[in-house]
Amino acid sequence: MKSLTSRCAAALACFCLTTLSAWSDPLTINRVEPPHWWVGMQAQQLELMVHAPGIARARATLQYPGVTLLGKQVSDNPNYLWLQLRIQAHAQPGELKIALQHGQDTTVLRYKLERRDKGSAEREGFTSADVVLNLMPDRFANGDPSNDNQAGLGDPANRPSLQGRHGGDIAGIVQHLDHIAAMGYTAVWPTPLIENKQPAQSYHGYASTDNYRIDPRYGSNEDYRRMVQLARQKGLKVIQDTVPNHIGDHHWWMRDLPASDWLSNRNTYTPTNHARTTVSDPYASAADRQAFTGGWFATSMPDMNARNPRVANYLIQNAIWWAEYAGIAGFRVDTYGYSDAAFINTWTNRIRQEYPRLGIVGEEWTDNPAVQSYWARGRTQANGYRSHLPSVMDFVLQGQLLKALNEPESWNTGFRRLYESLANDQLVAHPQDLMLFDGNHDTPRLFSVLNEDPALTRMALAYVLTMKRTPQLYYGTEVLMTSPKKHDDFDAFRADFPGGWAGDTVNAFTGQGLTALQKDHQNWLRQLLNWRKTQGVIHHGKLMHFVPENGTYVMVRYNDTQRVMVVFNKNPSDTPVQLGRFSEVWPASAQATDVISGKGMQLGSVFQAPARSVTILQTTLR
Ligand code: CA
């Protein structure tokens, strides 16, 4: 089934010859995405994107028990064809042979349908019972120096440069899963591992150049899948960082865009106005709103036009493919609000239809509680929007926490600020599902923001880990890593984890070279994280807190049998706290345990909160 040029009679007009020869060239298929699929998925429809010069005119046929070809879609680029399949429940794993007739040529596209892992749909996501570790793979540990540079990917390793690649990889994460688990984390969120064939600053990973390929400088797709499996065996869930809003400008699509409206603004760079309030603001102009979601994040990050149904479907299937292939526990979704609001809700809903318990946390970088709560599931907004998103990054409370700890106490500052912020929880149906964090790859490091004050740092971490939230900590916090405080010095927030590179003189995995302060802090955090692992009262308990007084602030987590009291004291001296104020939730004369030291104590009517400290006391109701 080759070219039919020879079959063309010499008598035919030139026009006919040209047309026929162009039209009858054998198809060269460059890409089929998703690269394979599974039988037994909840959604029976699958749309394959096939890239081959001239393929749009091809006629497709398929014979396979339980699988039907519903139709095809084309765009204004003749080099793309979308095949719409229906995979019925009784279809068996195997290989589809899709015949693509192109003139008198027929090319057979072989496409695998695999069997799903047992229990895949019912897998557990991450919840308020977890503590998530956010790490940057390039900066965590270099487990395989031989993969640091890869021909054809550019941006060679350059460890001395903050903007260069440092060589960290999947092997490095795998080598230290035991450390992560022993610290007491139960979930890991690596920043994106997807291929970023960008010429510079590719280490950050948010500029995908192939949505189905792990960057070879981190390892292979199979290495990633194995990492997820190994992590699960050690009690660690893996959360995949994904970016439906944009791609990198060196993405393979950019050489032959699938349609003239594949990217926002007719494939033309137009910067976003970053006006995130326009999505929920009842007075916002539609043009401003479109300029927000349709604007590009940067010239190097073209914005996906998810209003095109082919784009939307592609992004949904891409996420489901990774969930099924790698067995992850959830997604962290970059720039959630920058996507078209209707699309991103469908995206989230379709994933949750396949995996009803899968965790999904969206990034909404705002200090406005109304903007943040707009995305949280369980409430209908004033404009009728009802989000499916289970979890939202809690930038609001994180910002207030750091401000509160850094400022002096007064009638409306310090702990009083923090106290009043919690009233915003009335705006969300499930506050425990909001993800509260000490920092992440985009923020200055906690210890530095708190002016390298170890006491304030413990207060912040104790707050994050006992609050009615799903907590997330940034790598390096365990050993008080520092960074500049300036808010846009991103590369400097992502320094190498000590001990992740051969020859490091300081090693946070072994303790070698750590200062006494760092060791003490790491032990304190390990103790707190491991205690938290088993505390249902922290995972799912209720919360009551009390108006701050005299530089102290008290909150109590409680359920039918357990009480946990968290006492913050900012004063430079020990401060008496009258326990009678808390009698609604704290029993008189309680026999309590300090959860860090493990020491038991008989409490009277007053607790002496040690100077500049946080104390976590637990008692069981009799
Ligand atoms: Ca490496």
Side-chain angles (χ1 to χ4, degrees):
M1 305 186 189
K2 292 289 166 198
S3 161
L4 60 61
T5 339
S6 58
R7 292 188 288 263
C8 242
L12 284 175
C14 276
F15 169 77
C16 173
L17 262 178
T18 317
T19 312
L20 276 176
S21 61
W23 167 218
S24 62
D25 284 345
L27 286 172
T28 304
I29 296 177
N30 299 320
R31 292 259 181 176
V32 182
E33 292 183 345
H36 71 267
W37 204 249
W38 294 266
V39 294
M41 300 298 283
Q42 196 269 344
Q44 295 193 348
Q45 299 213 1
L46 174 67
E47 187 167 278
L48 305 184
M49 184 181 81
V50 190
H51 180 221
I55 195 175
R57 294 171 68 181
R59 197 172 148 262
T61 50
L62 166 67
Q63 302 291 329
Y64 191 91
V67 182
T68 42
L69 190 58
L70 297 177
K72 69 172 199 179
Q73 295 282 339
V74 296
S75 71
D76 50 9
N77 182 339
N79 300 333
Y80 287 86
L81 177 67
W82 288 264
L83 297 171
Q84 297 171 313
L85 308 179
R86 180 178 175 216
I87 304 166
Q88 290 175 267
H90 66 273
Q92 292 299 307
E95 190 177 69
L96 306 182
K97 295 182 183 70
I98 303 170
L100 294 165
Q101 196 190 338
H102 191 245
Q104 293 184 18
D105 253 1
T106 301
T107 302
V108 176
L109 168 61
R110 296 170 182 276
Y111 193 79
K112 278 207 171 118
L113 291 180
E114 296 188 352
R115 191 181 299 283
R116 301 182 73 181
D117 286 341
K118 204 159 174 272
S120 172
E122 300 79 29
R123 77 184 66 176
E124 198 187 355
F126 57 87
T127 69
S128 49
D130 288 301
V131 179
V132 180
L133 172 66
N134 168 220
L135 59 82
M136 202 144 211
D138 184 62
R139 306 294 165 88
F140 183 63
N142 189 356
D144 179 7
S146 77
N147 64 13
D148 293 1
N149 290 296
Q150 297 278 336
L153 289 183
D155 201 11
N158 182 7
R159 195 172 174 210
S161 163
L162 279 175
Q163 301 187 345
R165 296 196 77 104
H166 291 191
D169 48 32
I170 289 171
I173 298 173
V174 167
Q175 284 168 18
H176 298 295
L177 288 174
D178 285 331
H179 172 86
I180 296 168
M183 275 302 295
Y185 296 103
T186 63
V188 184
W189 151 33
T191 51
L193 289 155
I194 208 80
E195 183 195 276
N196 271 232
K197 201 164 75 180
Q198 294 286 107
Q201 265 183 299
S202 67
Y203 78 92
H204 68 67
Y206 290 94
S208 167
T209 53
D210 182 337
N211 293 22
Y212 282 96
R213 187 190 196 202
I214 295 293
D215 195 296
R217 289 164 290 195
Y218 295 132
S220 65
N221 284 13
E222 279 304 301
D223 291 335
Y224 176 57
R225 171 149 79 170
R226 197 171 59 87
M227 179 193 87
V228 176
Q229 285 167 353
L230 287 170
R232 196 187 304 123
Q233 287 163 18
K234 295 173 191 293
L236 295 166
K237 300 165 180 173
V238 174
I239 300 170
Q240 181 162 324
D241 202 334
T242 191
V243 193
N245 182 65
H246 52 262
I247 53 173
D249 64 346
H250 285 66
H251 195 287
W252 68 267
W253 281 329
M254 301 304 284
R255 296 191 296 273
D256 188 21
L257 279 163
S260 58
D261 64 348
W262 195 250
L263 305 173
S264 296
N265 294 306
R266 307 295 292 176
N267 299 345
T268 309
Y269 172 68
T270 320
T272 176
N273 57 19
H274 294 288
R276 58 188 72 250
T277 52
T278 53
V279 180
S280 52
D281 175 358
Y283 315 116
S285 117
D288 284 345
R289 189 179 308 126
Q290 177 53 25
F292 169 55
T293 60
W296 294 23
F297 203 74
T299 43
S300 60
M301 294 182 188
D303 193 83
M304 298 302 298
N305 175 26
R307 292 180 174 197
N308 176 329
R310 305 281 80 72
V311 173
N313 223 358
Y314 180 94
L315 294 169
I316 291 164
Q317 291 181 170
N318 181 244
I320 292 171
W321 188 88
W322 280 110
E324 192 64 28
Y325 171 76
I328 54 173
F331 289 107
R332 178 267 181 189
V333 189
D334 190 62
T335 45
Y336 194 87
Y338 283 78
S339 285
D340 178 80
F343 156 71
I344 201 68
N345 214 19
T346 303
W347 183 92
T348 303
N349 194 32
R350 282 274 304 274
I351 295 168
R352 294 269 291 180
Q353 282 172 351
E354 290 291 348
Y355 312 97
R357 298 167 70 198
L358 196 83
I360 305 180
V361 56
E363 177 196 37
E364 175 52 274
W365 196 337
T366 180
D367 57 7
N368 182 336
V371 170
Q372 178 171 287
S373 63
Y374 187 81
W375 304 110
R377 83 184 154 112
R379 284 272 175 110
T380 304
Q381 305 299 325
N383 63 4
Y385 192 78
R386 193 173 172 86
S387 177
H388 295 293
L389 183 64
S391 176
V392 188
M393 284 290 178
D394 197 348
F395 278 88
V396 174
L397 192 56
Q398 188 253 4
Q400 295 297 308
L401 171 65
L402 301 184
K403 217 180 260 182
L405 289 173
N406 264 337
E407 66 192 3
E409 294 296 302
S410 79
W411 67 276
N412 66 350
T413 60
F415 287 137
R416 192 65 182 248
R417 170 193 299 283
L418 199 52
Y419 176 82
E420 293 186 1
S421 296
L422 274 194
N424 295 327
D425 276 16
Q426 67 182 301
L427 298 174
V428 289
H430 309 286
Q432 73 277 7
D433 295 337
L434 298 177
M435 189 170 279
L436 181 61
F437 51 96
D438 73 302
N440 63 32
H441 61 289
D442 282 334
T443 70
R445 288 187 172 273
L446 177 71
F447 192 47
S448 298
V449 174
L450 297 175
N451 302 306
E452 305 196 11
D453 182 324
L456 291 179
T457 303
R458 284 189 182 187
M459 288 186 223
L461 292 170
Y463 185 86
V464 169
L465 293 167
T466 59
M467 176 43 61
K468 188 175 176 174
R469 288 291 189 274
T470 301
Q472 172 254 299
L473 303 185
Y474 189 37
Y475 80 96
T477 292
E478 68 183 75
V479 289
L480 301 170
M481 279 177 71
T482 57
S483 76
K485 288 200 274 186
K486 200 166 145 268
H487 267 266
D488 55 0
D489 206 352
F490 297 108
D491 301 303
F493 305 154
R494 306 156 179 174
D496 296 343
F497 190 80
W501 278 252
D504 283 0
T505 50
V506 177
N507 188 328
F509 299 114
T510 63
Q512 176 205 319
L514 293 178
T515 65
L517 179 68
Q518 285 176 309
K519 276 187 189 167
D520 193 39
H521 179 76
Q522 196 181 30
N523 288 333
W524 176 88
L525 185 62
R526 188 186 292 115
Q527 186 72 24
L528 181 53
L529 288 170
N530 279 286
W531 168 79
R532 192 190 188 281
K533 261 189 194 175
T534 59
Q535 301 302 319
V537 63
I538 302 294
H539 305 164
H540 310 296
K542 296 176 185 169
L543 166 69
M544 188 176 290
H545 66 151
F546 300 87
V547 177
E549 277 184 1
N550 310 323
T552 68
Y553 176 35
V554 172
M555 60 185 198
V556 176
R557 300 297 309 273
Y558 63 104
N559 62 18
D560 290 345
T561 57
Q562 292 290 316
R563 298 288 188 265
V564 174
M565 181 162 65
V566 189
V567 184
F568 300 90
N569 179 17
K570 260 193 194 173
N571 298 316
S573 54
D574 294 2
T575 306
V577 176
Q578 301 291 333
L579 298 178
R581 274 186 75 207
F582 320 130
S583 61
E584 290 165 76
V585 283
W586 188 257
S589 309
Q591 177 67 39
T593 306
D594 180 316
V595 307
I596 298 294
S597 70
K599 253 174 47 188
M601 65 184 84
Q602 176 64 52
L603 295 176
S605 59
V606 176
F607 174 70
Q608 283 292 340
R612 298 181 54 73
S613 72
V614 55
T615 312
I616 306 172
L617 300 171
Q618 182 166 28
T619 190
T620 305
L621 295 188
R622 279 169 287 185

